[in-house]
Amino acid sequence: MKSFELYEPTTVQEAVGILTKFGNRAKVLAGGSDLVAGVMKDWVEGEGMPLPDALVDLTTIPQLRGIRISPQGATIGALTTLTEIIESKDLKERFPLLTQATHSIASPLIRNYATLGGNLNQRPRCWFLRGREFNCYKKGGDSCFSVTGDNRYHAIIGGELCYIVHPSDTATALLALDARAKLAGPAGERTVPFDNYFISPREDVLRENILKPDEILLEVFIPAPSPGTRQAWTKLKNREVYEFAVVSVAVAFTTENDTWKDGRIVLGGVAPVPYRAAVVENQLKGKNIKNSIKQAAGVIRTVARPMSMNAYKVELTQNLLERTILEALA
Ligand SMILES: Cc1cc2nc3c(=O)[nH]c(=O)nc-3n(C[C@H](O)[C@H](O)[C@H](O)COP(=O)(O)OP(=O)(O)OC[C@H]3O[C@@H](n4cnc5c(N)ncnc54)[C@H](O)[C@@H]3O)c2cc1C
Ligand code: SF4
């Protein structure tokens, strides 16, 4: 592994100051399960993705940890571990969707030290990106190896230049729960809804979110759901542990006499960003869910553009949509 300087700030201001000084050459460190044990250990680098010279350890900033519940919703510090999220009775009661999604991640050992901030900001798992010998667009190169290579787990929706699927399960759940992120940088703090947090390769192929190099994710806020909100989560993976989503579905919606009133449907494992399936939501609005679910789920086909080896994901997505929404209704 390349050597680096390690900084251990105790305040957010101190951390932002160090990031500002180093610019692109520094990265923040949380649990390290992706940055150190993945990206840096495996020398995942390129012109557009330099390995850092300095790591700014956030685990030494107590302010970034913990779960706070209020009548308005829940605030979760970015350094809160995935296990702490799963074990929170308050979160389980109000946002079972987040608890289930978090529980589906990796393994108990990894969840004990991996953090929410790290999970949301982890780099994609495309096997070409993670291979040293492939200098693709995302590393600053001039091609995408997934177009002609093995693309069985790549995007079926919204790929352009790059066909990664967003790896974070908490991101899929938080987008369905209409959550927002609070960030800190040299100019102060700003709040960004997760609707606008993730960016597609079309906007910037070198990044997956709007965080600037000198910004830190401080916390996540989830608004209290309207009374009677139904939530459900399904994740299809190849084996029970250590597996990312082949396809996942997160739903949170309200009903009146089994008619869809309002809500969100979000897909994971299918697009470069957690994908809000507004096309399906629109088909359900004001309709009896049981009567219209088959047709509504089928509309996902109109936005799907599968690659040479992953058309199977379209079928899976359609079926999983139907199953998850009916589960929430039941
Ligand atoms: C075998 C294995 C299986 C996995 N399976 C899944 C899975 O099924 N689903 C899933 O969602 N994930 C999965 N993961 C990914 C894992 O959940 C992430 O590696 C982990 O959540 C990252 O958290 P961390 O605290 O260790 O982050 P780190 O590795 O420390 O950081 C990850 C990235 O986030 C940035 N970062 C961290 N915190 C902040 C912050 N507060 N502000 C700004 N940037 C920040 C870092 O700079 C870095 O770029 C798996 C990982 C492994 C190794
Ligand atoms: S899908 Fe993206 S990350 Fe993977 S090879 Fe293509 S450009 Fe690189």
Side-chain angles (χ1 to χ4, degrees):
M1 186 185 297
K2 177 179 176 282
S3 62
F4 55 87
E5 285 181 56
L6 180 67
Y7 290 84
E8 295 181 320
T10 53
T11 65
V12 170
Q13 290 72 13
E14 205 187 328
V16 169
I18 302 165
L19 288 174
T20 308
K21 183 176 136 204
F22 277 93
N24 240 343
R25 294 183 300 114
K27 285 244 173 284
V28 299
L29 173 68
S33 64
D34 184 36
L35 180 58
V36 178
V39 172
M40 293 176 72
K41 177 176 83 54
D42 295 337
W43 294 84
V44 181
E45 61 173 337
E47 204 186 321
M49 201 174 162
L51 284 176
D53 295 329
L55 294 188
V56 183
D57 188 356
L58 300 183
T59 61
T60 44
I61 308 178
Q63 181 202 330
L64 296 179
R65 209 172 199 122
I67 299 164
R68 299 191 306 276
I69 305 289
S70 72
Q72 288 73 40
T75 304
I76 311 175
L79 265 283
T80 307
T81 65
L82 302 180
T83 298
E84 285 165 341
I85 292 176
I86 295 165
E87 288 180 350
S88 163
K89 289 195 173 62
D90 289 321
L91 290 178
K92 192 174 181 183
E93 197 183 301
R94 291 166 176 78
F95 311 105
L97 159 56
L98 178 65
T99 307
Q100 283 174 276
T102 311
H103 197 258
S104 76
I105 294 171
S107 67
L109 176 67
I110 293 173
R111 296 195 297 264
N112 280 345
Y113 67 99
T115 65
L116 178 62
N119 189 260
L120 290 165
N121 295 301
Q122 62 178 300
R123 302 309 303 266
R125 289 279 159 173
C126 168
W127 41 37
F128 300 109
L129 179 75
R130 298 276 169 158
R132 277 186 82 175
E133 60 275 30
F134 299 103
N135 186 33
C136 67
Y137 284 131
K138 201 165 249 318
K139 293 173 177 166
D142 58 6
S143 60
C144 170
F145 295 90
S146 79
V147 173
T148 50
D150 188 333
N151 51 38
R152 77 186 96 154
Y153 298 125
H154 286 75
I156 54 167
I157 299 174
E160 190 175 310
L161 285 181
C162 167
Y163 297 84
I164 54 155
V165 291
H166 201 280
S168 167
D169 288 316
T170 59
T172 309
L174 288 170
L175 185 57
L177 292 168
D178 195 16
R180 42 190 187 262
K182 192 195 265 187
L183 318 178
E189 293 181 359
R190 62 180 176 132
T191 299
V192 183
F194 278 106
D195 284 312
N196 303 330
Y197 188 82
F198 303 102
I199 56 179
S200 69
R202 194 177 304 143
E203 291 166 83
D204 186 347
V205 74
L206 299 177
R207 299 157 72 199
E208 293 88 46
N209 57 55
I210 47 117
L211 268 182
K212 297 182 187 136
D214 52 9
E215 278 186 318
I216 294 172
L217 172 66
L218 296 181
E219 62 190 30
V220 167
F221 175 74
I222 319 173
S226 311
T229 297
R230 296 163 186 274
Q231 302 177 29
W233 163 262
T234 316
K235 172 174 169 183
L236 204 94
K237 47 189 177 175
N238 281 334
R239 54 180 180 178
E240 271 313 300
V241 289
Y242 291 134
E243 267 307 354
F244 291 83
V246 175
V247 177
S248 66
V249 181
V251 298
F253 60 89
T254 51
T255 54
E256 206 173 276
N257 302 326
D258 284 358
T259 296
W260 179 283
K261 264 177 81 184
D262 196 18
R264 289 170 169 244
I265 303 171
V266 180
L267 302 174
V270 299
V273 295
Y275 179 76
R276 184 160 176 199
V279 284
V280 181
E281 291 170 19
N282 291 340
Q283 293 298 314
L284 289 169
K285 214 163 267 175
K287 293 191 191 141
N288 178 285
I289 295 176
K290 279 187 192 148
N291 294 345
S292 40
I293 185 64
K294 254 204 187 329
Q295 178 269 335
V299 171
I300 201 66
R301 291 179 177 274
T302 62
V303 290
R305 303 279 178 275
M307 303 175 80
S308 57
M309 296 173 73
N310 66 9
Y312 75 99
K313 277 189 165 193
V314 181
E315 196 76 27
L316 285 181
T317 306
Q318 180 177 343
N319 289 329
L320 223 56
L321 270 165
E322 189 179 334
R323 197 168 99 189
T324 311
I325 292 166
L326 287 178
E327 255 173 41
L329 195 65

